[in-house]
Amino acid sequence: MRRRALLSVYDKSGVVELAAGLSELGWDLLSSGGTARVLEGAGLEVTDVADHTGSPPMLGHRVVTLHPRIHGGVLADRSDPAHVAELEEHRIDPIDLVVVNLYPFATAPGIEMIDIGGPALVRAAAKNHAHVGVVVDPGDYRRVLEELRSTGELSLATRRNLARSAFARTAAYDSAIVAWLDDSEGAPPVLPPTLHITLERADPLRYGENPHQPAARYRRAGRKGEDAPEWWDRTIQHGGVPLSYLNLLDAGAAWALVNDLGRRPAVAVIKHAGPCGVAEGVGLPDAYGRAIECDRRASFGGVVALNRVVDTDTVTCLEQSPQADVVIAPGFDDGVIDRIRARRAGTRILEAPLPDSPSRTVRQIDGGWLVQAPPGFPTRPREWNVVTGRKPTPGERADAVFAWTVCAYVSSNAVVMAKDRTAWGIAGGHKDRVGAVDMASAKAGGRVVGGVCASDGFFPFPDGVEAAAAAGVTTVVQPGGSVNDRAVIEAADALGLSMLFTGERQFRH
């Protein structure tokens, strides 16, 4: 009995070569519409689906393959005598291979891009993979042909793997449609009644948080290359060893922070997903030098993010600074990459686009997931309230915005002490607020006299403000909202401090 393949593809790449190979192996070809025209134009003998079913395309080509002679031929269990008898009774020819790829809904969403016949065929063939092969990715054409040429048929293992790919493709397709429907009435809801996140493996990683943990980076399925919304897919690695799980985590945090700081040249140094040095400067070399000096010892082996193209003056600073495991920037001047490589061949050098702005954040916990809106820091600095008699100077207010922004990237309880838009003291993960102030003060080492102290949560008692004043700061920025706010404000007034209430806290766990 001659074998039969049904080919109906939106993406025509490679389909002529596949069809020609099948024809050479003695397969009959079924097709319709544009795919049939392409195959006929290549000189291949093709039976039109309409001729096979006896039914013309209907409803503007919405109904073509939705017919018992097609789906019966795909779904029949050839090991079931009753199925075989029904095929013979209704003169339905078995279909042994289904080659379908779907309308590109993810990149061109709309009602007419919601494929119906394609997913129905894919699911039917995938369900019956014990007898039918299904191919949804042009990247699989070659290996399918090679196996058919080598053994005369597709193994059960191959058909099962192809079926898995097929169901994954239709799952991602439906997920994209749900997201589009959520968007169609305006801004997408942060917390819709259901979430459908379909991911595909993008990059294998050397290991996870520890060497014994396998790991990989995933992206949203169906969006890659130039069409990809994920900035990681548009990031170019110019040198160094492959990225690890922690490299990605730290580089992502550093890149988000440095691009949150504003329009001035800025540098952030990240270790263990938190900043150990951050600064803005009159130029990139100035910002780089001060960011490293925030905590020179901690910066060794960190991720360095720069929000300007790295020039020769900046790379000279880098050569004189503690080793960076990752350098990420929007670009590099001629010769800079070679100089970084010469210092340490293993340094990962990343050229990245602007980071994305997700509509929600999703975090897995044991037994479920937590979903929330992104924090969106800094939060409306012009609306902050000055609650003390002393008002901050323009310089102190600028430092307060800077310190508050950095504070959003430090694990709670978090305190950042800054001066001249440089985070001289950073403390995170403390269980009490005074302990965080003391640690930030110790890190600052006297470099914040006349500077600012930012706290991610309110000061519950005056002792935290008193400890900040002891470090030499003259302005405090905090959310406010404690039952003891009045006592805290009175302490700030007594110490001659200015204090800003943001009205919003910025915990990060």
Side-chain angles (χ1 to χ4, degrees), residues 24-36:
E24 291 169 2
L25 292 170
W27 286 61
D28 290 335
L29 306 179
L30 274 176
S31 191
S32 67
T35 306

Side-chain angles (χ1 to χ4, degrees), residues 61-368:
H61 223 74
R62 284 188 175 189
V63 179
V64 181
T65 58
L66 297 169
H67 193 281
R69 292 208 70 195
I70 297 297
H71 282 269
V74 172
L75 279 166
D77 179 353
R78 287 70 178 296
S79 66
D80 186 334
H83 282 210
V84 173
E86 285 191 68
L87 291 182
E88 293 174 353
E89 178 186 354
H90 297 287
R91 291 180 293 178
I92 296 175
D93 297 317
I95 295 172
D96 305 285
L97 183 67
V98 171
V99 181
V100 172
N101 55 59
L102 310 178
Y103 298 161
F105 184 90
T107 56
I111 288 295
E112 293 307 320
M113 280 291 142
I114 298 179
D115 202 333
I116 302 300
L121 274 174
V122 167
R123 290 178 60 82
K127 173 179 178 174
N128 201 27
H129 65 269
H131 306 285
V132 180
V134 57
V135 187
V136 296
D137 187 345
D140 289 327
Y141 292 172
R142 175 176 294 183
R143 71 184 183 98
V144 165
L145 264 182
E146 287 177 350
E147 187 169 337
L148 289 173
R149 286 168 176 156
S150 173
T151 66
E153 63 179 0
L154 298 178
S155 69
L156 178 58
T158 296
R159 295 195 304 272
R160 185 180 182 86
N161 286 335
L162 291 171
R164 187 203 181 281
S165 297
F167 281 123
R169 183 63 55 89
T170 58
Y173 200 77
D174 288 341
S175 174
I177 294 170
V178 172
W180 175 71
L181 290 171
D182 281 342
D183 290 351
S184 61
E185 297 300 323
V190 173
L191 304 175
T194 60
L195 271 181
H196 304 267
I197 303 172
T198 308
L199 307 177
E200 62 186 7
R201 191 173 60 223
D203 300 309
L205 302 176
R206 289 190 301 148
Y207 50 79
E209 287 185 285
N210 299 290
H212 65 278
Q213 295 173 267
R217 179 179 73 87
Y218 285 73
R219 62 172 166 243
R220 281 182 285 175
R223 304 295 294 270
K224 54 188 175 182
E226 293 182 358
D227 295 328
E230 288 82 358
W231 65 271
W232 273 113
D233 285 315
R234 292 171 280 130
T235 296
I236 302 169
Q237 183 171 352
H238 290 290
V241 298
L243 293 162
S244 71
Y245 180 100
L246 292 177
N247 290 151
L248 289 168
L249 194 65
D250 288 351
W255 194 230
L257 169 53
V258 83
N259 281 284
D260 238 1
L261 286 173
R263 298 181 179 179
R264 288 164 56 96
V267 175
V269 185
I270 297 288
K271 286 285 289 290
H272 302 296
C276 60
V278 189
E280 293 181 348
V282 294
L284 204 58
D286 175 44
Y288 185 90
R290 287 191 286 121
I292 293 296
E293 291 307 318
C294 290
D295 194 334
R296 191 175 184 87
R297 181 172 61 186
S299 67
F300 178 83
V303 171
V304 175
L306 312 95
N307 70 350
R308 296 288 191 278
V309 172
V310 181
D311 56 19
T312 54
D313 290 339
T314 306
V315 81
T316 298
C317 296
L318 188 150
E319 291 169 336
Q320 298 169 355
S321 300
Q323 176 60 47
D325 278 1
V326 179
V327 176
I328 181 170
F332 300 85
D333 278 350
D334 291 343
V336 166
I337 290 174
D338 290 337
R339 287 177 62 176
I340 297 174
R341 287 172 176 162
R343 185 164 188 257
R344 183 172 181 267
T347 297
R348 296 88 166 166
I349 306 166
L350 305 180
E351 182 178 342
L354 290 174
D356 304 319
S357 299
S359 59
R360 65 181 68 91
T361 65
V362 180
R363 176 183 290 185
Q364 188 173 7
I365 60 173
D366 185 16

